Amino acid sequence: MDAKNVLDAKVPEGPLEKKWEKHRFDLKLVNPANKRKYDVLVVGTGLAGASAAASLAELGYNVTALCIQDSPRRAHSIAAQGGINAAKNYTNDGDSVWRLFYDTVKGGDYRAREANVHRLAEVSVNIIDQCVAQGVPFARDYGGFLDNRSFGGAQVSRTFYARGQTGQQLLLGAYGALSRQIEKGSVRMLARREMLDLVVVNGRARGIVARNLVDGKIERYSAHAVLLCTGGYGNLFFLSTNAANCNVTATYRAYRRGAFFGNPCFTQIHPTCIPVAGEHQSKLTLMSESLRNDGRVWVPKKAGDVRAANDIPEADRDYYLERRYPSFGNLVPRDVASRAAKVVCDEGRGVGPTKLAVYLDFRDAIKRVGADTIREKYGNLFDMYHHITDEDPYQVPMRIYPAVHYTMGGLWVDYNLMSTVPGLFVLGEANFSDHGANRLGASALMQGLADGYFVIPATLGGYLASGGLDAVSTGAPEFSAAEASVTERTNRLLKVDGKRTVLEFHRDLGRLMWDYCGMGRNEAGLKKLLTAIPELRERFWKEVRVLGGNEEFNQALERAGRVADYLEFAELMALDALERKESCGGHFREESQTPDNEAKRDDENFAHVAAWEFKGDGKAPVRHVEPLKFEHVKLTQRSYK
């Protein structure tokens, strides 16, 4: 199924540590007076989108920013809790740009592009200064200096944090910068809009078609370049830690217009989520990975032990992460911790009503430093857990279990963050670029802000300065065709008039994906999934019922459109998982594991990015390959023991 390689990553020549500096110098520049001639569309205003829109407007571009929420402040970036990585080495414990680069490549199980990861590590040190200047209230030590804590996959403390609400505070900083540009008139901010199609004119991305979610009207927007900053697709699984309106539609619509989709099967299962309580749930709640700094993960040593946690003596407790991974202990990467939790639960040693949970215990930490210190570091997280479960984590251990969280797959981009459609740039979680097969904790915020504040201001200018970008009117035939396609699809949804709700179909799809393409995947299950998804999709278009009308406020219609895209995208994800016959990071093929049940890569055949090209409805997509070269990090079996 692999096609001839047509992917040019545009990685610059020269030493790794000089590539970005040299590339920035080599890129063409846009004269300051000419920047106001260019229009830029930014879709999504989370950390990547808000930072990009603010930075580009500051440079002088005319920016139009759209978000699906009622305010940029409600972007899902606010849900990030634990922190943001940066190679500042303030703790003097051996950190460096090179070590952050190495940890990220290794943490991603050697499935990321070295040049992109090194640039991310380089830029990380500037992000903290930028955010402090914006007033982000990072935690500080007794002397007033910025504090750090540890996160999974690293043996140094490099994570800057604002209690358990780092994402919210960083977003407020970016929102402040964005608001300044809105007030100046450099940014036109449009809330409650959902991108439904990408408009390509003469082979270049020149605009979008969006739905006004308040009145239902279809709107057209043209620009010289389009930036997608729309996050990930974890809600494909129905139950995930993502906000309910996070979806795949923007990136999937771009894929259908020619943007290759990279590594769609790379999804992250986060180990510290509040367990599923019942069928009534529509989403899950994350407990920050930062809790693993002080919390100890354990289960009873014997299967079927039903005693309350505090009644189980030390001798009967299995601190299985500390036992299996003595070097990293409870701070192993997320994919490793998640699989380990699944193993002990499969052995019958799970806890709680469903037996699909493990304990995260703060008893020893509270004894060591006191409840007040723990409250200062994690108070809002403990309060959130208490409100949701009605259990006091200061008195009894938290119960956690893995859940779908982040997606490492996304639209394929080159070193400039440009997709295979010229003029379409993709930032943050929406692209595939920096995390390989597993994202280390506290790296999502780092990548989003790196892309928005420091990378795209340079690379977008290089594209715009290349010329050939005459003005395009929203009256162009390509805009009319895109709007007609959107309208036809919407009307088709409204005409089905079946008897099942969108929610029921989404839940059915989520179960299928979790069972056959979740923490464990195998050939037989994936083939079964590839038969089941088209059957479910066919039933959807015959049996779904979408109430209300088109040109009006209609959340049922919004959700129906997103689930319709999930029912197509799920097939691509399952196909990608089937074709990648190896285990790496969050992609665990049960046929490919080491004797001690760790992921076993196949570097000879799969040390590459899989980038899928849409060939039309009813036609099989084509799998392209970008080989990954590791010249600075030695390919070895990943070990955290």
Side-chain angles (χ1 to χ4, degrees), residues 209-238:
V209 170
R211 184 172 188 268
N212 186 319
L213 299 181
V214 176
D215 60 21
K217 289 183 170 56
I218 302 300
E219 301 172 346
R220 305 177 184 185
Y221 300 96
S222 67
H224 295 92
V226 178
L227 277 58
L228 289 190
C229 314
T230 53
Y233 47 87
N235 275 343
L236 168 64
F237 290 83
F238 185 67

Side-chain angles (χ1 to χ4, degrees), residues 109 324-325 335-336 339-340 342-343 346-347 519-523 580-585 587-602 637-638 641:
D109 219 350
R324 290 184 60 178
Y325 309 102
D335 60 318
V336 177
R339 283 195 296 275
K342 182 179 185 296
V343 167
D346 288 348
E347 292 171 350
M519 274 195 283
R521 305 161 181 190
N522 58 59
E523 184 171 353
R580 187 170 284 276
K581 297 177 173 64
E582 66 162 352
S583 291
C584 56
H587 171 64
F588 191 72
R589 283 289 294 266
E590 294 167 355
E591 307 95 331
S592 182
Q593 52 185 303
T594 64
D596 53 353
N597 306 117
E598 301 294 348
K600 184 179 181 181
R601 296 193 321 272
D602 179 355
Q637 175 61 41
R638 197 170 52 143
K641 295 186 176 180

Side-chain angles (χ1 to χ4, degrees), residues 53-76:
S55 300
L56 294 174
E58 182 78 35
L59 287 171
Y61 296 107
N62 299 313
V63 178
T64 297
L66 299 91
C67 70
I68 202 169
Q69 302 88 1
D70 57 3
S71 165
R73 290 175 297 175
R74 292 173 63 85
H76 187 57

